[in-house]
Amino acid sequence: MIKKGKFFQSPPKSGETFKELFIHATTAGVGRPANKDGYPIGPWTPELLADAISQIDANRKGVDLRTVQLWFEHNKRGIGPTNIRWLSMVFGCRDPEGTSEWQVELSASQSRLKARRKQKEKAGGLGEQPAFDVKQTAEPQNVPHAPKLDQAAGPKALDADNVPPKQRFNLARASEALFSSRSTLNLPALVWAGWVVLGFLTYIMGVHSVTYSPIAGLHKQVGFFWAPNWSLIELVILPLFLVTVVGLLAFWKAERRLIIASTGSDPGETGDWTSRVESFSYSHWAVFFICFAIVFLVQWSGIHMRALVNGDVGNLMMDWNLLAIVRPEVISVPEATVLSMLAFLYTAAICFLFLTGLVLMYTLTQDFFEVCSASELHSNPLIQSKIGEVGTELLCRVYRASLLGIWVATCIKLQATYLLSDGESILDWLLTDALFFLGIYTEANSWIGQRSLAHFTSFLLLFATCSVFIFGYVQTCRVVKRAFSSGSSRRLAEAQCVHRWMMMGVVMLLIANFFLIGQISGFSILLIVGTLATIYSLYDPMFGRAQASEMTT
């Protein structure tokens, strides 16, 4: 039924608690705009529902997104009378009769939830209740005779569940919330803003494009703008990686609710998403320690600051951070100390975002495997097909993010290897390698006898990225293979298996790219091949999956 252009459905009189009734309504898309066939355009998500409630004219204070997220999660919390009012208007499509009908049923379902919770408390099933439940506003018991809602009336009292419960700080939950923004542009904007500030400082201090002479007759470019690890990563690769991970999380959390709700399973059997994230708390703290204690404090104060103070770089590679030692007329030691501190603090921040994205990717694939590998989910062919489609899409997104992660490590090693060579600029160095391999030049690149810690750093980033990809690849393929188990679905799985092996082939190509940088003549040509393969993979990670999907038509 359509009311005011939106999909309407009367609440079921089945004696459900609030959580059960809420999941039923959000999954069915009650109150969502309807298409020309009369069906909702999709289910509710916490973000969409929070926006819809906040757009109600009488609701001047709106609703907190975290409050709406708590309704979707498997927890002990219910809903207060004021938010029942707004929710019934959304599910009732702003129609007075429909709104009143939903308000009566939502109030009754909340009363049933409280009654069930008290029974479990008496039986010792739930234990002691949190403080915020004790203060929660009591629900009216005579709900069958509740009056119709006056839509013009504003809220008269503060809704108890409108104030999120006070929780202890949890780094894993905070990190996940950072990637759960409704805009995929937020994190890239932070990265770009930091780069702009650092770029302005290097330009003001004159190290944005500057050379030095490690040997007689060689003027080597070491400027900030010329370094791929300070330009390509922050401007292109890392923002794309962050956008991919943010989209990946949003996709899975929406599909997770639909898969669980479609089977009528209890979300508590596999744990809700927040609990899954919090189980990786130690991993998130390890990432925080590595980035801000090792990358920032140890690497900056123990190596760069000490070299600047002592005025001796030893045989460490020369970069714009250390240029004050050999070019004091360009930048002074105090200026270089402050600038390098800001640079390494920025590096620690973007490294934190990158590694946190990898941890969340690992968490997501583990959650997908545990949620979708339950035997009862594979008894229904429709659910099997849905799991197969979701798993295939997850694999494609994890693959895209992993390719970008490998290129982050590759750019770091590329810049470090260039600084150890006798090339005048990184473009000249790559061109000389390609022309020597093709036989046009007779002299190959050589080295100037320095060392670089970035080789080890880039290897660790590569190892972390590939480990997450392989884990996600294996876990996802195990579930998808089981979902596509017979008939045309099995033929599709066999066709997609070829494409998954092509994914692995591209990853192996990029790994070979990483290890062969500066080790063989012609590595620059291999870099071009890897770049083209990556661009095509980002566009079509399944290498023609549209043709393969025709097998199921």
Side-chain angles (χ1 to χ4, degrees):
M1 182 185 301
I2 300 179
K3 286 189 176 183
K4 298 185 177 181
K6 297 180 180 180
F7 176 72
F8 177 79
Q9 189 179 80
S10 297
K13 304 295 194 291
S14 55
E16 295 177 320
T17 64
F18 168 72
K19 289 291 184 180
E20 297 166 341
L21 179 62
F22 178 78
I23 291 298
H24 168 81
T26 54
T27 304
V30 179
R32 293 275 285 145
N35 57 23
K36 61 181 180 180
D37 299 321
Y39 296 103
I41 61 176
W44 285 106
T45 65
E47 294 79 9
L48 292 173
L49 188 56
D51 286 341
I53 294 176
S54 299
Q55 289 173 4
I56 298 175
D57 295 336
N59 184 11
R60 300 174 183 175
K61 294 185 178 180
V63 65
D64 187 77
L65 176 60
R66 180 56 186 160
T67 298
V68 180
Q69 290 174 339
L70 289 172
W71 300 341
F72 280 86
E73 295 172 0
H74 179 71
N75 50 41
K76 305 171 186 177
R77 289 180 56 79
I79 184 174
T82 302
N83 277 343
I84 286 179
R85 189 179 204 169
W86 311 133
L87 195 59
S88 62
M89 291 182 67
V90 173
F91 290 162
C93 305
R94 309 281 185 97
D95 177 74
E97 294 184 1
T99 298
S100 179
E101 190 177 357
W102 270 101
Q103 185 179 12
V104 169
E105 189 61 29
L106 286 172
S107 299
S109 68
Q110 172 64 9
S111 299
R112 288 190 288 267
L113 177 65
K114 284 188 172 184
R116 179 179 298 183
R117 189 165 54 209
K118 290 180 180 179
Q119 291 176 357
K120 290 185 178 181
E121 284 180 358
K122 292 179 181 179
L126 290 180
E128 186 179 354
Q129 287 293 305
F132 59 83
D133 266 344
V134 176
K135 298 179 181 179
Q136 196 173 34
T137 306
E139 301 292 337
Q141 298 299 320
N142 194 21
V143 292
H145 303 286
K148 292 186 179 181
L149 179 65
D150 181 9
Q151 299 184 35
K156 297 181 179 179
L158 181 63
D159 190 357
D161 78 333
N162 214 9
V163 180
K166 292 184 178 180
Q167 298 176 322
R168 296 178 60 185
F169 175 76
N170 186 287
L171 182 63
R173 189 169 57 244
S175 300
E176 192 272 342
L178 193 64
F179 280 78
S180 296
S181 171
R182 282 181 281 179
S183 173
T184 57
L185 187 61
N186 288 345
L187 288 180
L190 291 176
V191 174
W192 289 330
W195 185 90
V196 169
V197 171
L198 199 59
F200 266 117
L201 291 176
T202 58
Y203 183 83
I204 292 172
M205 296 183 183
V207 293
H208 62 290
S209 180
V210 63
T211 62
Y212 85 107
S213 298
I215 56 178
L218 174 62
H219 299 283
K220 191 172 185 65
Q221 175 64 247
V222 293
F224 175 83
F225 292 165
W226 286 79
N229 61 325
W230 290 104
S231 55
L232 284 179
I233 291 180
E234 286 80 357
L235 294 179
V236 180
I237 301 175
L238 184 61
L240 287 177
F241 173 83
L242 296 175
V243 168
T244 304
V245 175
V246 169
L248 176 63
L249 287 177
F251 171 78
W252 167 238
K253 288 196 291 186
E255 295 297 337
R256 186 186 197 273
R257 287 191 295 269
L258 292 178
I259 291 174
I260 294 177
S262 63
T263 60
S265 302
D266 182 8
E269 296 177 359
T270 56
D272 60 13
W273 170 249
T274 302
S275 300
R276 184 81 67 198
V277 171
E278 291 177 352
S279 66
F280 285 82
S281 291
Y282 291 121
S283 300
H284 286 275
W285 278 111
V287 167
F288 183 86
F289 176 78
I290 290 172
C291 294
F292 292 96
I294 305 299
V295 174
F296 174 59
L297 287 179
V298 174
Q299 193 170 349
W300 173 69
S301 62
I303 299 175
H304 284 70
M305 188 182 73
R306 187 172 63 177
L308 289 169
V309 171
N310 296 334
D312 182 18
V313 73
N315 66 339
L316 193 65
M317 70 177 188
M318 181 60 60
D319 201 352
W320 59 270
N321 288 300
L322 299 172
L323 198 64
I325 297 176
V326 295
R327 294 289 304 273
E329 75 279 6
V330 175
I331 183 173
S332 65
V333 171
E335 292 175 336
T337 302
V338 174
L339 185 60
S340 63
M341 181 192 70
L342 295 176
F344 273 92
L345 185 60
Y346 176 67
T347 300
I350 62 175
C351 185
F352 175 78
L353 291 177
F354 176 72
L355 293 180
T356 298
L358 292 181
V359 173
L360 291 175
M361 286 169 56
Y362 186 100
T363 306
L364 186 148
T365 52
Q366 177 67 21
D367 186 61
F368 170 74
F369 176 78
E370 295 191 13
V371 168
C372 297
S373 60
S375 57
E376 59 269 16
L377 293 177
H378 295 270
S379 58
N380 188 327
L382 294 179
I383 299 178
Q384 271 190 315
S385 177
K386 179 66 174 177
I387 291 175
E389 294 174 2
V390 172
T392 302
E393 183 63 24
L394 285 179
L395 181 59
C396 291
R397 294 176 183 241
V398 169
Y399 172 64
R400 288 189 178 106
S402 300
L403 293 186
L404 295 168
I406 294 174
W407 275 109
V408 168
T410 301
C411 286
I412 294 175
K413 184 177 181 181
L414 188 66
Q415 172 66 7
T417 307
Y418 155 71
L419 293 176
L420 301 180
S421 73
D422 63 349
E424 291 188 354
S425 69
I426 191 168
L427 296 179
D428 176 74
W429 175 59
L430 293 174
L431 182 61
T432 299
D433 172 78
L435 294 179
F436 177 79
F437 178 77
L438 297 175
I440 299 176
Y441 279 10
T442 57
E443 292 185 7
N445 292 307
S446 58
W447 311 101
I448 57 178
Q450 296 177 344
R451 66 183 180 91
S452 171
L453 295 177
H455 283 79
F456 182 66
T457 304
S458 60
F459 172 76
L460 292 181
L461 295 179
L462 176 74
F463 178 79
T465 303
C466 292
S467 298
V468 171
F469 170 71
I470 292 174
F471 176 82
Y473 181 91
V474 173
Q475 295 288 74
T476 306
C477 288
R478 288 172 63 185
V479 176
V480 171
K481 183 178 180 180
R482 184 179 179 184
F484 291 144
S485 57
S486 63
S488 60
S489 295
R490 184 175 183 85
R491 292 195 297 273
L492 174 61
E494 293 172 353
Q496 290 183 338
C497 183
V498 176
H499 305 313
R500 291 197 291 269
W501 279 111
M502 293 181 70
M503 287 183 180
M504 189 64 72
V506 174
V507 171
M508 296 304 296
L509 171 64
L510 298 187
I511 294 175
N513 263 337
F514 176 87
F515 285 106
L516 294 178
I517 291 176
Q519 300 300 314
I520 63 171
S521 297
F523 73 88
S524 56
I525 297 178
L526 196 60
L527 281 175
I528 296 175
V529 175
T531 301
L532 295 176
T534 301
I535 293 174
Y536 185 80
S537 297
L538 294 176
Y539 169 72
D540 184 12
M542 288 299 288
F543 298 93
R545 56 179 171 171
Q547 288 80 359
S549 64
E550 292 176 0
M551 300 176 64
T552 60
T553 304

